[in-house]
Structures are given as structure tokens and as C-alpha cells.
């Protein structure tokens, strides 16, 4: 499977965007709460997938939760506490760029969490998620996969492309030697937390464009496609020539010089 | 001035992205705090300009603050209180999609704030901003302008394009009859809050692509271009064939079907 | 059992205060997290019991969580969300003046929560609490009881004593006709949430002073009495006559005039 | 002036409590916002004065703000930011146990803040406070004074009395050698921040009981004494014998054993 064509991608994406926008209207009208978790290997494409979704929705409705390292106070709290405060209220969609699964993923592989903490996490998580789901939150968990060949390529790109260099952290570098540890950690996560009420969905992101389409298609298929028509808006003629801008004090600055 | 060509736009933008990424690295290394306010007419292009900047930066460093309507508690508080809690800490960049200027803009024009509240706001704001600036925050205030002809076109597009329909609110509709009131409100804002320590910069967004380039160019020109080299990263050979993904429990789902 | 003597009460309380202070030192040194829930009938004496404990501890270590009515946003969230954000970090003691049990108590009796919500709450709460306890939080749940004769007396006192009048709310008034409904609600709570890992403890508060002593004694008995000595502090002589206050600009105001 | 008698104190305090309760009712009815700052020497009696006020008011209306050391994130923020988030909404009373004046008090004396930071603080504070006051917040600033003889006595008491030992911190110890530095710091604060819109009031706390009465009397005298009658409450007879508690599952635990 080679990469898909850019124009095909954008055509397909546009179709999905229409559905996403309709879904968001439904979620708002019905007061739905939606949580989408994006997990996966470094470089798999979590950020891009999130942008593809959030990019066409109202930022006041669709939030991205990308938590920084926990503060000292947060480290002393119940593990789930700082994530809980980002859960959605009625009508909201929250996209988690990484999530509570950090504990059994990067923290485990890097040795930042003890095995007892990991074990407790794996035991508690299905219970925690069940409470959310029973409360009416619609929870989707996506695992973005890619093989090491693609991961190496993308790491290399981050290393060499100044625009992507900030994405490369020392943890990423360490991840190179831990590819199989991450595999094992993921399998342990699946073994303990792939439940009927909160299943995992794995999406192949070796081709990131196709991965995005696949993920969004799956997400939409699992939500009701109840059509809520947009509010009708009355749109009378303006009734006069459109006004121009009138500046008394400050003028627009010189526009960016284009080569001609 | 007609619209600029898409490819010229992307070429120019890429150049700016390199500088933005460099600037962000400098801001992090130096613990700088940067606030950029985006104000302007409905449809002017605040969201697009914000995305152009935030889109190439680390979301853990560059946050977008797009505040919802104030809650009842917030309505009872000091007017600036809820904005203050979004100000940056060391090394952060915060982009305000609308800002405290709401009071003297939309709230004034729509009659949601009394004239005494507006007067107090206009008197207090330079003082408030001076405190931030004196504290070392780098504050940039952009006003995105467009004439009513372009505004009408864009409103119409929002009305007709299902992908943009959510951007159209009843307040927008009302704004059509208030174009000149917004002009007057803006001029009052400039008269009272265009200070040496926190000047306004007007950018013509009749052509949104060019507007974005102009704004970003201006922002970069006003920040030091101190080069902070990215941390050197040692990148040894992997030393083995790259591993493939191995799934024991769950397989990736069927990829999105492309027409061929 | 008549009321106990004031002096006996204060003597006994002082003994307990010594133990509370020692316990708090231990909690801080060990990074313990302690949650104490105070539930019970209106007028039972939750506030007084909380003050007896918090009054002798460092307010920076021992917090009281008395949540107001949920905001609109909070109403749309996962029911436990707003409580979770008040849970303690390492070394903290949090006293909940009412708690998540509101749902199965006042909200149920007053008809503010539907029976399905109550059922879900009663099912989820032991699970929620188990997660906290398994995470290492020490959770204590006290139910303060009083018969209606005492309740009526205290309501009457609130009605007649201007210093206590603010404690009397319309909900209290309604509670008078619902005494037995509260009994039934409490029994349902006990039936579903009195678990090995988070048992309820009922304390008779018909005599409030004695109730406080009983509760604190019980709390202390259930915590380790590991003695952590206070940090040694070197206390040299001052080496000069103590200084007086010297005022250049402002003098202390006239003291409150005492009758002589 | 010797210490006042305990019974005289409690008689006088009770009178003031009636006024405080009335004031709070007025504040709630009118949506007033009240901020009271308690500053002063270690051991002066800030905590006790705050308890005397908060102790008779509804904790859901009257909050105490005793901020811990700033987190790393907070240290990077605008100095006033973390205090701003504790300001009151309509109808609230907030008592600050220490406040933003830390910067020009303990931080200056202990050398934790640079002289430039202190200078900026002293310049900005009147401006900051004016904004709050102009916004309608009623701001009261009390400085609790005591001479070193009393301070030494109280330090000694904290050292020797296990119930008070937690109040003694290494910073307190250091304060003993800095009595006059604190005097100088206070005078600098008065010189720069005793403004018409936010004056300081010094209260002699060599006698703490009298100090409390003096402070509360002054606070009440500076607020309108508009009487807002408590809501009338209809109080019908119960119409039946009062019910007793009935326990099915759990009985109250054994009461605390009183010596007889």
C-alpha cells in the first residue's frame, strides 16, 4: 500500500468534514459529551489526526487536552485527578493528545512508574472508564500504529527539518531502543483495558493521510448520524452599498511584499 | 490588489514558519512570555491567522485562549479576572482569539455593556496593560480589518457552506447592521488604548492570505531574532533491521477505502 | 444522657487537639492524604465538628471543602468531577462539609435527582471510593445523627437567634416534613456504600459536644499514632532589649473602647 | 493597657458578630464584593482575627485565602496573577491571610525578591488596587502591629506549646533578627501604597483580643449599615410527635467516655 494521492486525500477528507460538522451540531443540540483518546507510538501521527478533526470544528466546542508534565502538587494527587478536570461538559468534544494511558505506556517503558503503580493503573482504568461511560460520556480510544521503518524515517525528518525539530525530545530518542518494549506495553494495555464498554481501535498510520481518514470514518460510523438541521437564519438584503473601512487614527501597515 | 497565488502564499508562509519556530525556541530558552491579541471584525480572519501561527508550534508552548461567554460567577468578578488566568508563564506564547477588548467592541455595539462600564474599561485598560508590560510580558495587539464588501461575501459563504455554517451566529447577523458602529467603537478603542507600551497594529485582511503573512512578518520583526541553536542530539545507527508492529490481540481496522 | 459540662468538654478536646496536631505532623512528614466526609441531618453539627478539627491545624495543610451549588457547566459534567478537583495532594487533609453523597441524600429527598441518577450513584460510589482508597487516600465517612426533637430545637434556635439565622434555608424548612425520607435515604446509602474499604461510622450528635469528641476520638483511633517529632529549632537569646514598634507615617487607630 | 477580661471580650465580640452577620446579609443582597487584607508581623494575630470574622459567617459566602508558596508555573507568571484568581464574585467576602504584599514584606526582608522587583511592586500596587476599587470592590487593608516583647513571648509559646508548634517556621526564627527590617519594609509599604482609595489601617495587636475587637469595629464602621431584613420564613407546627432516629444497619458508635 503506497501513499495515497494528496488530491484524493483532500477530497475524501472534505467529505468527512461535512459529517464531522454535522456530528458536532448534533452533539451540541443533544448535550452529548464525547471523549476521544489518541495514543500510539511517537511519530505515529496523533497531532495530525487531532488537527484534522479539530480544524473544522468550533474551538469553543471541541477542545484539545495535551497535558504537560504533572506539577509537584499533581504528582501527589490521585493519578486520574488532573485528567478528570479536562473531561467535557454537555455538548463538548475533548480530544486527548495522549491521556491517562501514559502511566502504562511511556512511564512504564521509561521506568518512571513502578510496576505496582502500573498494575494498579491497569486494574483501575477499566473501572474508571466504565463510570464515565455509564455516566453517558461517549469514549473512543484509538491506537495509532506504525512500524519502526516509518518511525525511523519520521524521526530522521524531525532531526533534519528545522520546522519539525521541536517535536524531537530526548524521550523520543530513547524510544528508538525501546520499540519492542512499547509493543509489549501496548499489548498489556490491550489485555487489561480493551473492554466492551471502552474498546480499543487500532489504526494503521504507516500512511498518515490514510490513517486519518480511517480513524475519522470509524469515529463517525460509531456515532449516531442523527441530522440536526442548522438553525434557520433570516438573511435580508443589506439595503445599501457596503461600507468601506474608515480609519482616523491608525492605518493598516504595509502589506507583506510579494515577489512579482 | 487581487488575491495572491496559493503557491506564493505557501512559499512565503514556510519562510515565516521557520522564523516562528526559531522565535519559539528563543522564547522557551529565555523564559519569555508573549501575548498576542487578535481583534477585528467578524469574518476578518482571526481564526485563520491564529492557526497559521499555532499550527507550526508546540501546543504545549503556544496556547490559544478563546474564552466562552462568562459564567454567572465570572460576570460578578473584576472584569479582567477571567482573562488574567490565561496569561502565560515563563516560556509560553498565548494567542487571544478576541480578548478583554470585547467590552468596548461587541459588548458596546450590541448594548450588552453600559456606557459607564465601557468608559471605565477604556480608562483602565492602558493601566492594566502597562502593568503586564512592565512585568516583562511582551504584548502585541493586532486589529484585523476588512471592508463590508468582503465581510458580506464571507458571511454569505458561511451561510451557504455547510462547513462554515457553525461560524455564523445571531450576533454576526446583527453585526451587518452595525458595521459603522463597529468602526466607531474601534476608533474609540484606538483613541484610548493605543499607547507607547501597547500599540495597536492594523492589518488589512481583505486578502486573508496576505493579511496573515503581513501580521506574522510584523510580529517577527518586533521580536529579537536571537538565534538559539536547537539542542544537539546524538543520533546513532539503529544497529538492527527496523522492527515491524506485532499484534497479538487486536489488529488494525480496515483502511479507508480509496477509489482507484 | 444529658449534655456534658463545658469545662469537661474543653479539657477532653484539648487532649484530642494534641493528638490531632501530632497526626497532622505525621501526615505531612509521610505525605499521607486524608479525606474526611461529614454527612448527616441538617443541624446535626457538621460545621461545628469540622471547626473543632480544622481549628487547631494549619489551614495550609487542612482544607475544608464546602461546595456551592454546581454551575451550569458543572451540571453537565461527570457527577464526581467537581469533587475530584478538591481531593488532597501529598500531606493534605481535606474535610468535606457534605460531599458527593448529596446526590443520594438531599437531591434524592427533594426530588432534584431522578431515581435512575440515584441508582447509578449508589452503584458507582463504592467503585469510585475504592479507586481512591487503593490509590492510598485514607477515606473516613461520618454520619452525624440526631433525632427530630433535637433538630426541631436547633431549627428553632436558628429561626430565633439572629447569629444563626443565615444557617436556615428553605431546604431546611422542607426537611422538617421529610425527616423519615432522610432516614430512608440514609439507610439506602448505608446499604449500598458501607463497604470494607470505605465504611460508614455513625456518631450520635444529639449532644453536639460529646458527638465531636466521639468523632475525633474515632478518627484518631483509626489512624496510626506514629510519633514524628517536631523539627528541632535552635533558639538563641535575642541578645538585646526587644525593639518597640516605631511608626513614622501611620499610627495604630484608637483601641476598641471597653467598659470599665 | 493590660489584657482585657475574657468575659468582656466575649460580650463585646458577640455584639460585633451581630453586626457582621447583618453586614454579610447586606453584602449578599446587594451583590457587594469585599476584600479584607490581613498583614502584619509574625505572631501579630492575623489568623485569630480572621477566625473571629469568618467564624460567624457562612463559609459559602466568606472565604479565607491563605496562599501556599507559588508553584514553578506561578513563579513565572505576572506577580498578581495567582492572587487575582481568589478575588470575590458578587456577594462574596474574601479574607486574605497575607496577600500580594508578601513581595514587599517577607520576600524583601528575607532577600527572596530583588530590589527592582520590590520597586516595581510598590509602584504597581496602588494602580492595581485602584482598578479593583474602581470596579466596585471594597478593599480594606489592615496592618496588625506588635512590639518585639510580645512577639518574643508568642514565639516562645509556639516553641513550647505543642498545640502551637506548627505555627513556628524557620522563616519565623529568622524574623527575630529582622524586626527592624520588617519595620522599615512596612514603612516603605505605607509610603507607597497608603492611598486615598486604599488606605492602610494599623491596629495594635499587643493585646490580641482587643486588637480583634478594634479591627472588626473599624471594618464595620467603614461599611454601610444598611439593614436588610432576613427573609421571612413561615414556621408551622410539626403536627406530630418528633420522630426518633431509626437505624437498621449501623448503630451509632460508643460515645466518648466522660470521667464522672
Amino acid at each position: 500500500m503506497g501513499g495515497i494521492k494528496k488530491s484524493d486525500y483532500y477530497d475524501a477528507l472534505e467529505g468527512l468534514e461535512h459529517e464531522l460538522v454535522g456530528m458536532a451540531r448534533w452533539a451540541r443540540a443533544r448535550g452529548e459529551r464525547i471523549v476521544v483518546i489518541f495514543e500510539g507510538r511517537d511519530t505515529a501521527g496523533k497531532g495530525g489526526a487531532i488537527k484534522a478533526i479539530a480544524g473544522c470544528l468550533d474551538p469553543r466546542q471541541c477542545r484539545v487536552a495535551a497535558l504537560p508534565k504533572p506539577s509537584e502538587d499533581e504528582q501527589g494527587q490521585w493519578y486520574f485527578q488532573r485528567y478528570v478536570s479536562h473531561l467535557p461538559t454537555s455538548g463538548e468534544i475533548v480530544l486527548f493528545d495522549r491521556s491517562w494511558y501514559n502511566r502504562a505506556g511511556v512511564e512504564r517503558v521509561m521506568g518512571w512508574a513502578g510496576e505496582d503503580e502500573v498494575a494498579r493503573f491497569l486494574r483501575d482504568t477499566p473501572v474508571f472508564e466504565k463510570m464515565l461511560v455509564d455516566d453517558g460520556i461517549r469514549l473512543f480510544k484509538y491506537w495509532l500504529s506504525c512500524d519502526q521503518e516509518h518511525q525511523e524515517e519520521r524521526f530522521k525528518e524531525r532531526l533534519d527539518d528545522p520546522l519539525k525539530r521541536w517535536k524531537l525530545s530526548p524521550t523520543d530518542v530513547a524510544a528508538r531502543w525501546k520499540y519492542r518494549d512499547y509493543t509489549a506495553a501496548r499489548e498489556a494495555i490491550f489485555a487489561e483495558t480493551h473492554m466492551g464498554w471502552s474498546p480499543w481501535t487500532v489504526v494503521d498510520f504507516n500512511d498518515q493521510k490514510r490513517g486519518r481518514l480511517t480513524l475519522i470514518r470509524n469515529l463517525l460510523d460509531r456515532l449516531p448520524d442523527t441530522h440536526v438541521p442548522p438553525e434557520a437564519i433570516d438573511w435580508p438584503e443589506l439595503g445599501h452599498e457596503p461600507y468601506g473601512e474608515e480609519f482616523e487614527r491608525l492605518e493598516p501597515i504595509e502589506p507583506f511584499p510579494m515577489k512579482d
Side-chain angles (χ1 to χ4, degrees), chain A residues 37-256:
Chain A
I37 286 179
F38 295 80
E39 286 287 350
R41 301 198 181 267
D42 284 316
T43 79
K46 295 179 289 292
I50 286 171
K51 262 186 209 175
I53 295 173
C56 67
L57 301 179
D58 183 353
R60 283 175 181 80
Q61 175 180 22
C62 176
R63 287 189 281 117
V64 179
L67 274 63
K69 273 186 313 178
S71 70
E72 206 185 324
D73 261 18
E74 287 170 342
Q75 280 172 44
Q77 297 169 345
W78 178 42
Y79 176 70
F80 294 96
Q81 186 160 339
R82 70 191 198 115
Y83 294 102
V84 165
S85 68
H86 289 271
L87 292 173
T89 186
S90 298
E92 282 188 342
I93 300 163
V94 179
L95 312 179
F96 277 90
D97 185 351
R98 298 184 176 282
S99 67
W100 43 85
Y101 283 98
N102 271 349
R103 171 125 305 173
V106 62
E107 291 187 25
R108 179 182 207 173
V109 170
M110 302 298 291
W112 301 336
E115 278 306 303
D116 55 330
E117 288 177 304
V118 173
R120 196 165 61 230
F121 171 83
L122 290 173
R123 189 194 59 208
D124 284 354
T125 296
V127 176
F128 171 65
E129 294 178 350
K130 188 157 197 314
M131 279 195 297
L132 303 186
V133 168
D134 284 351
D135 198 63
I137 291 176
R138 292 174 187 262
L139 174 63
F140 300 90
K141 307 193 295 189
Y142 288 99
W143 195 281
L144 282 54
S145 77
C146 70
D147 57 36
Q148 196 169 23
E149 191 180 338
H150 284 89
Q151 193 183 40
E152 283 286 309
E153 260 172 40
R154 293 172 195 167
F155 275 144
K156 209 68 182 47
E157 212 179 309
R158 291 183 179 185
L159 189 68
D160 296 335
D161 182 348
L163 284 183
K164 299 190 170 171
R165 181 61 185 272
W166 61 263
K167 297 187 181 185
L168 200 62
S169 75
T171 309
D172 291 335
V173 183
R176 295 177 72 210
W177 316 110
K178 309 251 184 196
Y179 187 91
R180 286 189 148 169
D181 295 334
Y182 274 102
T183 305
R186 182 197 65 211
E187 290 299 317
I189 287 174
F190 287 176
E192 305 292 336
T193 70
H194 178 64
M195 297 294 169
W197 56 86
S198 60
W200 279 102
T201 304
V202 183
V203 182
D204 183 336
F205 265 68
N206 282 320
D207 178 342
Q208 291 180 323
K209 290 196 196 70
R210 192 148 192 182
R212 277 175 226 147
L213 299 175
T214 305
L215 190 157
I216 298 173
R217 177 74 270 153
N218 179 269
L219 177 66
L220 288 164
D221 286 347
R222 290 160 68 189
L223 286 162
D225 64 344
T226 317
H227 182 67
V228 174
E231 244 184 305
I233 291 185
D234 186 40
W235 201 262
E237 288 300 308
L238 200 53
H240 60 74
E241 285 300 295
Y243 298 124
E245 283 280 23
E246 291 166 80
F247 298 103
E248 275 175 51
R249 283 166 200 276
L250 292 169
E251 294 286 332
I253 57 175
E254 274 301 295
F256 186 83

